[in-house]
Amino acid sequence: MSEAQHEPTDAELLAAHVGGDPDAFGRLFARHRDRLWAVALRTMGNRDDAADGLQDGLVAAYRRAGTFRGDSAVTTWLHRVVVNACLDRLRAAKVRRAEPLPDDLDERGDRGSLRSATDEVADPADHASRTEQRAMVLDALRTLPEEQRAALVLVDMEGYPVAEAAAILDCAVGTVKSRCSRGRARLAELLAPLLDAAEGDPHDTPARNPVASTPVEPTDAPRGPPATG
Amino acid sequence: MSDPEPTPAEEQVRRLLADARHDEPMPAEVVDRLDRVLAGLDLGRPTPPVDLAARRRRRTARTLLVAASAVVVLAVGFTQLDLGGGGGDAGSAQRSEAGGASAPQSDVDGDSAGDRSQLATGPPVVLSSAGFGTEVRALLAAKQGSASARPIVPSLPPACADLAVGPGERLAVQYDGEPGVLVLRPPSGDRQRVDLYLCGETAVVRSSTVAVG
């Protein structure tokens, strides 16, 4: 009796786009853009490159929508296209880079959002410490090979299940686990000062390791995706 | 089945990564940019898709040739631009084409057609999908180094002339052998975005953001 307004699923929107609906892809993208942005940002390391990579992915997804076979969720496919676009850019940059990109250097100094601390931290000193710590983590993350970085961004940062991360990265589950493991091991070396501090008294050391609001669950048990806003 | 237990250090790393997660929404300027790209894609839908991957595959054979060509074209193009200004030294920035005298903008009546009267012509700049970012940076650097304040729109092909590309300086290019327009958006702070359009297509094909100044 009640004419409940049907909210099309992602798959329906994608099909509508393929069928010629001019608004469908925009609606689909709007649903997922914040999370796609987060993944692109953390994978690329700075806003400008993230926007470029995301744009590449957007254009590719728009144009290749007809090739989506429904083997995975639409959002997984979207992430795959965007992550691949980002990785393509990273690889191309690595090939041609003879010197550090200006963006890479600038990033360390003037881009707040990379080190964005959206948390409501009352103590400015605590806030500064946490921001500095995030910067260290992100700087260390950027030194990893792009495949390891992408795996860690998806699994440890974004909370994707390993299986879904594998689908996004188009590789085996074991490969994702291996990349994550190697990446974490390398990060543990790079971030040793933070880890050492955390092993002391995490509440009294100046560069203390923050205590996560929720415990990090095992690799196979995802924290779950963030609420889309 | 049984994965090795994560070490305490790994657990701490995971916690640090989780804490460094980005929780903010996409910035408004990125939303606007992507919305414009989408709008362009919608408008250009009947046109054949640009297969960037195919371009990427094709690029390998010509990367070196294209890069070399780009250097030559840039060098020739900017040398030509500076010829009227006395050889490209820094002091020639304000010289007009009329013999190097300081007569800035005296040949312009002030209407929009005046912009066109200042346009330099020449061969299109050669860009490649393989080296797009680097080539764009080199282009802007060369442009700044040329000390020429004139807009440069070398010989826009007819198919590109009517493209609605929005604000910014337009530059005719060959991108992987296809004619296009590079639009140098107005700088925002120390950043300048550059968008590439292919002639006959309304969507941005490539973009890059470059540090300027």
Side-chain angles (χ1 to χ4, degrees):
Chain A
M1 57 190 237
S2 68
E3 295 279 330
Q5 201 170 10
H6 171 64
E7 185 68 19
T9 65
D10 287 351
E12 287 169 343
L13 283 176
L14 194 64
H17 164 66
V18 173
D21 182 339
D23 300 324
F25 192 86
R27 290 178 65 188
L28 174 64
F29 182 70
R31 279 185 186 176
H32 303 289
R33 69 183 176 205
D34 287 343
R35 197 156 189 218
L36 291 169
W37 169 248
V39 171
L41 181 63
R42 289 302 184 236
T43 302
M44 298 301 286
N46 67 70
R47 290 173 55 142
D48 292 332
D49 289 339
D52 290 346
L54 191 49
Q55 178 176 314
D56 288 352
L58 174 72
V59 172
Y62 184 99
R63 290 181 164 161
R64 296 176 193 161
T67 67
F68 176 70
R69 299 190 305 271
D71 297 338
S72 61
V74 170
T75 180
T76 301
W77 173 77
L78 269 179
H79 277 74
R80 181 188 304 159
V81 175
V82 169
V83 169
N84 280 338
C86 290
L87 292 178
D88 280 347
R89 276 187 170 263
L90 288 171
R91 290 174 189 132
K94 192 165 69 175
V95 166
R96 68 173 177 260
R97 184 163 45 205
E99 77 282 352
L101 291 175
D103 282 356
D104 295 338
L105 301 177
D106 294 347
E107 185 53 41
R108 294 167 184 274
D110 60 3
R111 298 197 192 150
S113 71
L114 241 195
R115 292 133 193 211
S116 57
T118 56
D119 323 23
E120 49 297 324
V121 180
D123 181 358
D126 192 19
H127 178 93
S129 169
R130 198 162 175 186
T131 301
E132 184 181 353
Q133 179 181 271
R134 281 182 162 206
M136 292 177 67
V137 171
L138 295 176
D139 284 347
L141 184 67
R142 294 175 60 182
T143 68
L144 298 181
E146 54 263 27
E147 287 84 4
Q148 289 179 22
R149 191 192 318 170
L152 287 175
V153 166
L154 291 172
V155 175
D156 285 353
M157 280 185 158
E158 292 299 315
Y160 278 102
V162 170
E164 189 165 358
I168 290 171
L169 297 171
D170 201 18
C171 63
V173 167
T175 304
V176 173
K177 288 180 179 178
S178 160
R179 287 175 184 172
C180 286
S181 178
R182 287 202 303 273
R184 288 180 200 125
R186 178 64 184 142
L187 289 180
E189 294 172 10
L190 295 171
L191 300 172
L194 294 179
L195 305 187
D196 290 340
E199 283 178 353
D201 184 342
H203 294 288
D204 289 337
T205 48
R208 61 181 176 268
N209 188 34
V211 178
S213 55
T214 56
V216 177
E217 295 177 14
T219 306
D220 287 330
R223 296 192 309 278
T228 53
Chain B
M1 196 77 184
S2 62
D3 292 323
E5 282 293 311
T7 66
E10 281 188 342
E11 281 299 334
Q12 288 181 40
V13 166
R14 298 195 72 195
R15 204 168 291 127
L16 287 171
L17 286 170
D19 191 61
R21 169 188 185 170
H22 185 80
D23 290 324
E24 295 178 11
M26 181 185 290
E29 68 269 21
V30 180
V31 173
D32 290 345
R33 170 181 164 180
L34 296 183
D35 281 349
R36 273 188 285 111
V37 170
L38 263 182
L41 287 167
D42 287 334
L43 287 174
R45 215 167 178 192
T47 63
V50 175
D51 187 345
L52 294 178
R55 284 213 172 97
R56 208 170 291 123
R57 287 192 294 274
R58 289 201 308 264
R59 78 192 178 203
T60 309
R62 48 177 115 141
T63 298
L64 289 176
L65 178 61
V66 165
S69 304
V71 170
V72 170
V73 169
L74 283 174
V76 170
F78 287 107
T79 302
Q80 286 178 342
L81 288 174
D82 285 336
L83 286 178
D89 61 297
S92 66
Q94 298 302 319
R95 293 179 190 166
S96 72
E97 293 178 61
S102 294
Q105 299 173 3
S106 59
D107 57 341
V108 181
D109 290 335
D111 61 5
S112 60
D115 293 338
R116 191 157 276 281
S117 71
Q118 289 189 320
L119 303 181
T121 60
V125 173
V126 177
L127 299 173
S128 67
S129 52
F132 182 75
T134 303
E135 290 159 4
V136 164
R137 286 189 188 93
L139 174 65
L140 290 188
K143 187 170 175 302
Q144 290 169 351
S146 75
S148 170
R150 294 176 300 166
I152 311 160
V153 183
S155 311
L156 271 183
C160 283
D162 297 329
L163 270 182
V165 297
E169 187 177 336
R170 298 191 300 168
L171 186 63
V173 298
Q174 285 281 331
Y175 178 73
D176 281 355
E178 297 182 43
V181 181
L182 198 65
V183 183
L184 315 183
R185 302 296 182 192
S188 173
D190 61 350
R191 303 267 137 187
Q192 183 169 20
R193 205 176 84 241
V194 177
D195 291 330
L196 172 71
Y197 294 77
L198 291 180
C199 298
E201 296 200 21
T202 54
V204 174
V205 173
R206 290 289 295 268
S207 292
S208 188
T209 305
V210 180
V212 294

